[in-house]
Amino acid sequence: MTLTDAAHGRTTEHRWEPPAALSATDPELADLLSAEAERRATSLQLLAGENLATEAVLAALAGPLVDKYAEGYPGHRHHTGCAVADSTELLAVARARTLFAAEHANVQPRSGTSAMLAAFAALLRPGDTVLALSLEHGGHLSCGSRANFSGRWFDVIGYGVREEDGRIDLDQVRELARAHRPKAIIAGAISYPRHPDWAAFREIADEADAYLVAAAAQVTGLVAAGLAPSPVPYADVVVAATHKLLRGPRGGLLLCTGELADRVDRAVFPFTQGGAAMNEVAAKAVAFAQAATPEFGAYLQRAVDGARVLADELALAGARPLTGGTDTHLVTADVAPLGLTGAQAERRCAAAGLMLGKCAVPFDPAPAAETSGIRLGTGTAAALGLGPAELAEVGRLIGGVLGGAAPAAAGQRVRELLRETGAAG
Ligand SMILES: *Cc1c(COP(=O)(O)O)cnc(C)c1O
């Protein structure tokens, strides 16, 4: 299998016209989708969790398995006519296991959050104590938010990063593990630009007799490409996502030891969901094959190199990249030194077609709706073919806009960059 679009960095699927069947049946919705296609052709998507699903993935999503009910697992379905569904899921599972060198894979979760729910269900009971990175320090809402099952049904103790260098404070994790004896420790984050020390987390978990769960959705693609250390040898369960750097369908993925395979499978179905979306399972199989190609590795290397120069440019512009830079596709930066809140920075950049997100920074003094930081990622930009040179320019454009430059001129340049990639037609 080839991934030609990523190889030369162009995506034809970025351009979108409503198919005749849709515009004829539902012109109102066709117009809405056309407006979204126009929006993304004229602005640069820099949200860290977003990417462009490849054409092959989109084709699998729209294929005949969209209609198939296949509750259960291959060979043990509650519905008839599942021969192809079985082969498809077995193929996806085999590819995931090979790609991540995992003993077991479950490809059915519909999202990262539902995969995390299944991981909790496989290992824990409501009321159990869990240690996780607190949300203000980069944790995901499925790792302890009071508004989410995790914080509502579990006793989640938050650890954080060190104030001086923004790195995860492993001494604090160890102390909290000794003091609280958690049943599980969650490592991994939604907005932390460095690689977690999986081995250190394993050691702490072993000492506390706790399970180690890796929240690896943000970096699943980097792990697949060998550009981030894999949590698979260390974690009991790895919670991953297929729609972020992997350029697959929106969905979750669980990897675990053979020993936990049955518990994880039962936690996904029937505990957290009924029939899996078999078209998504098919599209995940495509994404796993794509991710095994050298072209995919080259694509993500471009994303990581681009993120590094972007962080440098933001620093030159007076923002403060957290941890001083990045090892991944993700950059988080404190914009308070520029006299801005995260929400103000997000609005200014959006006016210039630079679509990044506000983000709380550790020890953030600003209210949660405002924040002091921004978070951005280079997955989509690299998929469009933008490399370090272009992303350095994007960093200068962001820095300029944050420093008060007129958004119109920056927006003009963003549209030119997109046209050069072929994305904007
Ligand atoms: C993206 C992400 C999730 C959630 O994924 P959804 O598919 O949006 O539910 C959970 N945890 C981490 C660490 C993530 O990066």
Side-chain angles (χ1 to χ4, degrees):
M1 164 161 322
T2 57
L3 183 63
T4 45
D5 57 341
H8 59 66
R10 259 162 209 268
T11 51
T12 49
E13 72 271 20
H14 197 59
R15 272 186 252 169
W16 189 86
E17 296 285 336
L22 182 61
S23 25
T25 312
D26 191 343
E28 187 180 3
L29 199 270
D31 283 352
L32 278 176
L33 296 185
S34 296
E36 172 63 5
E38 176 66 15
R39 183 190 74 81
R40 72 174 185 175
T42 52
S43 58
L44 181 60
Q45 310 314 309
L46 293 163
L47 295 180
E50 288 190 358
N51 210 327
L52 287 175
T54 63
E55 221 160 350
V57 163
L58 295 176
L61 276 176
L65 281 173
V66 70
D67 296 318
K68 188 70 197 101
Y69 239 115
E71 272 185 6
Y73 290 100
H76 308 277
R77 300 290 192 187
H78 295 261
H79 298 91
T80 189
C82 287
V84 170
D86 279 9
S87 302
T88 303
E89 183 164 347
L90 288 171
L91 184 64
V93 167
R95 286 178 178 175
R97 286 183 53 201
T98 305
L99 185 62
F100 296 100
E103 288 177 13
H104 182 69
N106 187 306
V107 297
Q108 292 194 6
R110 304 292 306 273
S111 72
T113 301
S114 68
M116 185 60 83
L117 171 60
F120 272 68
L123 304 175
L124 310 171
R125 293 188 166 277
D128 280 348
T129 300
V130 175
L131 211 55
L133 183 62
S134 57
L135 269 57
E136 319 81 81
H137 290 230
H140 185 259
L141 75 113
S142 62
C143 303
S145 161
R146 299 293 300 170
N148 181 264
F149 75 86
S150 50
R152 181 89 54 89
W153 292 339
F154 296 86
D155 181 18
V156 181
I157 314 276
Y159 59 85
V161 301
R162 288 186 297 248
E163 194 152 15
E164 62 270 23
D165 61 1
R167 304 276 181 147
I168 285 169
D169 187 347
L170 286 167
D171 295 333
Q172 185 199 21
V173 178
R174 192 173 288 109
E175 278 164 31
L176 289 172
R178 282 180 186 154
H180 295 278
R181 306 296 297 179
K183 188 90 179 287
I185 298 175
I186 303 180
I190 180 100
S191 48
Y192 182 68
R194 302 294 180 175
H195 302 314
D197 184 343
W198 300 116
F201 272 105
R202 177 76 262 172
E203 217 182 276
I204 295 169
D206 281 343
E207 197 200 323
D209 199 18
Y211 289 113
L212 178 62
V213 175
Q218 188 66 269
V219 294
T220 304
L222 293 178
V223 172
L227 295 174
S230 174
V232 171
Y234 301 102
D236 296 289
V237 178
V238 176
V239 178
T242 52
H243 55 288
K244 297 186 176 177
L245 289 182
L246 216 52
R247 302 191 62 186
R250 197 156 273 277
L253 164 73
L254 288 163
L255 305 167
C256 68
T257 57
E259 196 188 327
L260 288 170
D262 281 346
R263 278 162 71 182
V264 164
D265 284 352
R266 276 184 276 115
V268 175
F269 171 86
F271 190 81
T272 57
Q273 62 189 42
M278 295 313 295
N279 60 324
E280 291 171 7
V281 169
K284 286 173 186 176
V286 175
F288 298 143
Q290 288 177 163
T293 63
E295 289 84 357
F296 182 77
Y299 150 63
L300 278 185
Q301 188 65 59
R302 187 163 65 236
V304 171
D305 293 345
R308 207 165 287 144
V309 297
L310 225 165
D312 291 345
E313 292 295 341
L314 290 178
L316 284 173
R320 193 175 60 83
L322 301 179
T323 75
T326 181
D327 295 331
T328 66
H329 67 299
L330 181 133
V331 178
T332 46
D334 189 344
V335 293
L338 293 165
L340 295 171
T341 68
Q344 287 167 336
E346 179 187 292
R347 279 195 296 275
R348 278 197 198 186
C349 288
L354 294 156
M355 312 307 285
L356 47 78
K358 68 172 190 277
C359 172
V361 301
F363 315 101
D364 203 327
E370 280 291 320
T371 78
S372 298
I374 54 173
R375 177 176 66 206
L376 54 167
T378 53
T380 304
L384 288 168
L386 304 190
E390 292 83 9
L391 283 161
E393 185 179 354
V394 167
R396 287 192 292 276
L397 290 171
I398 294 170
V401 169
L402 295 183
Q412 184 66 30
R413 182 62 196 139
V414 169
R415 285 192 294 279
E416 271 167 32
L417 276 172
L418 286 166
R419 258 197 303 278
E420 284 162 22
T421 70

